[in-house]
Amino acid sequence: MKKRNDFAWLPLNSLRAFAVFHGTGSVGAAAHALRVTHGAVSQHLRGLEDRLQRRLFVRTGNRLVMLPEAEELADSLLGHFRAIAADLNQFRRGDNILNVTVTPHVAQHWLLPRLDDLIRRHPEIDLRINADAAVHDLVQGDFDAAIRYGDGNWPELNCERLFEGWDVVVAAPSILEQVSIQAPRDLTRLPWILDEDRDIEMSRWFDDHGLDQQAHSRITRLPSALTLAAALDGHGVAWLPHVYAAPYLSSGRLARLFSDDRWAAQCRHHYYLCWADSKNGPCLRAFRQWIMRQLAG
């Protein structure tokens, strides 16, 4: 006897619109997320009420508001749709592929120097590294994990603290011979190298120390991955994460300025490894364990 197909009746497009409406909070946002028209989402929501023969919404002014029991259903559907998406992504890409997005500094100065050890210990992992400063969607996007800098407070993500991060003002000894540096204002007499991805943070440092960026002799903005190299070559003063500058401070290739700077201490954050529950497969678990061994060793 042929088994009855008990899910053929499901109005999948309407259920998806219903779940996305709940996740985004409005018909317009749901339409944008689904890449359909506002009217199409509204039609799906009305059709779902007709199909289920249950009232799901009340209208308040120009807004649709879900009833409590409808919210519970939508929460459940969102979880199931995300699980389906994760299964399909895993099947599409293969079990051994791990897509990780990291900041350029982390990729160049922390991850890549240790990559040989990861390959030796875990040859089964096909690691794909994306190095940019963008914050990618780890829940519904293609990336399995990210190494991010901040406070670790990112909704829907698991965040495992890796190492502390704070910023230091550094320069090659060769350019410090040009002027006497006694106070932050003396730095305006030297060229500066700024990370173009952290321009806002750097501006706050200038403001906090009463410095006018326009008063500097020269400011060059470079991609994150090039700022450290430019500082080492003596092209200017740089504002860098301590974790990347530390080896060069120890060797004397860079000198730290204003080591008692209270501003740096107040603005400390951490680097975190972040991932969504739906992406926590064997490769990611192995990668997490490898990172923790690197930090412990």
Side-chain angles (χ1 to χ4, degrees):
M1 180 175 174
K2 187 175 181 180
K3 186 177 179 179
R4 183 173 63 90
N5 186 344
D6 58 356
F7 50 81
W9 71 275
L10 293 175
L12 291 176
N13 286 335
S14 295
L15 290 172
R16 191 165 64 123
F18 174 66
V20 174
F21 170 82
H22 177 57
T24 59
S26 72
V27 172
H32 179 75
L34 293 170
R35 295 183 175 88
V36 298
T37 65
H38 186 287
V41 172
S42 296
Q43 185 175 354
H44 280 308
L45 298 181
R46 288 194 301 269
L48 186 61
E49 285 188 315
D50 293 341
R51 192 70 174 268
L52 298 178
Q53 297 183 354
R54 288 282 301 270
R55 192 176 183 188
L56 302 174
F57 309 94
V58 294
R59 182 171 291 280
T60 303
N62 293 324
R63 294 181 62 247
L64 280 181
V65 179
M66 276 191 178
L67 295 172
E69 57 269 27
E71 289 186 344
E72 292 180 10
L73 174 61
D75 280 332
S76 177
L77 287 171
L78 274 175
H80 290 306
F81 278 129
R82 285 169 178 163
I84 291 170
D87 288 343
L88 291 176
N89 277 331
Q90 198 69 27
F91 179 80
R92 181 185 64 186
R93 297 181 321 176
D95 292 337
N96 66 324
I97 295 176
L98 183 65
N99 283 324
V100 179
T101 176
V102 300
T103 62
H105 275 303
V106 169
Q108 183 176 6
H109 302 296
W110 194 89
L111 185 56
L112 290 183
R114 295 167 169 82
L115 203 54
D116 282 345
D117 185 76
L118 175 65
I119 294 171
R120 180 175 58 83
R121 291 178 181 271
H122 296 286
E124 77 280 6
I125 297 179
D126 184 356
L127 182 64
R128 314 285 176 87
I129 299 173
N130 172 75
D132 65 28
V135 177
H136 297 276
D137 184 350
L138 299 182
V139 177
Q140 301 185 50
D142 290 331
F143 292 107
D144 300 298
I147 297 179
R148 291 182 178 174
Y149 176 72
D151 60 10
N153 184 24
W154 294 293
E156 300 184 81
L157 297 181
N158 302 292
C159 295
E160 198 162 32
R161 193 165 75 178
L162 302 181
F163 44 80
E164 190 175 40
W166 70 93
D167 297 296
V168 291
V169 179
V170 300
S174 58
I175 72 164
L176 295 177
E177 298 171 356
Q178 303 172 23
V179 297
S180 174
I181 305 297
Q182 303 297 325
R185 64 178 176 274
D186 296 326
L187 296 176
T188 60
R189 299 159 59 192
L190 290 173
W192 268 75
I193 303 160
L194 297 189
D195 183 340
E196 64 184 7
D197 294 322
R198 304 183 64 202
D199 193 58
I200 294 177
E201 295 167 276
M202 190 68 248
S203 296
R204 290 173 181 165
W205 188 90
F206 283 133
D207 293 341
D208 189 74
H209 290 78
L211 303 179
D212 181 3
Q213 289 195 49
Q214 304 304 318
H216 283 68
S217 62
R218 188 180 77 247
I219 293 180
T220 303
R221 287 174 170 78
L222 296 175
S224 297
L226 298 181
T227 51
L228 175 57
L232 289 169
D233 288 341
H235 295 303
V237 179
W239 191 67
L240 297 172
H242 179 266
V243 66
Y244 311 128
Y248 305 101
L249 294 172
S250 298
S251 68
R253 292 189 63 189
L254 290 176
R256 181 178 175 182
L257 306 174
F258 313 115
S259 59
D260 60 344
D261 192 347
R262 288 177 297 174
W263 189 91
Q266 294 169 358
C267 297
R268 292 188 180 191
H269 288 291
H270 289 81
Y271 287 87
Y272 292 85
L273 178 65
C274 307
W275 70 96
D277 285 334
S278 60
K279 307 290 184 67
N280 193 23
C283 284
L284 178 55
R285 290 195 294 271
F287 182 68
R288 287 168 52 203
Q289 292 170 1
W290 173 80
I291 287 182
M292 292 307 157
R293 282 198 301 268
Q294 291 294 311
L295 295 174

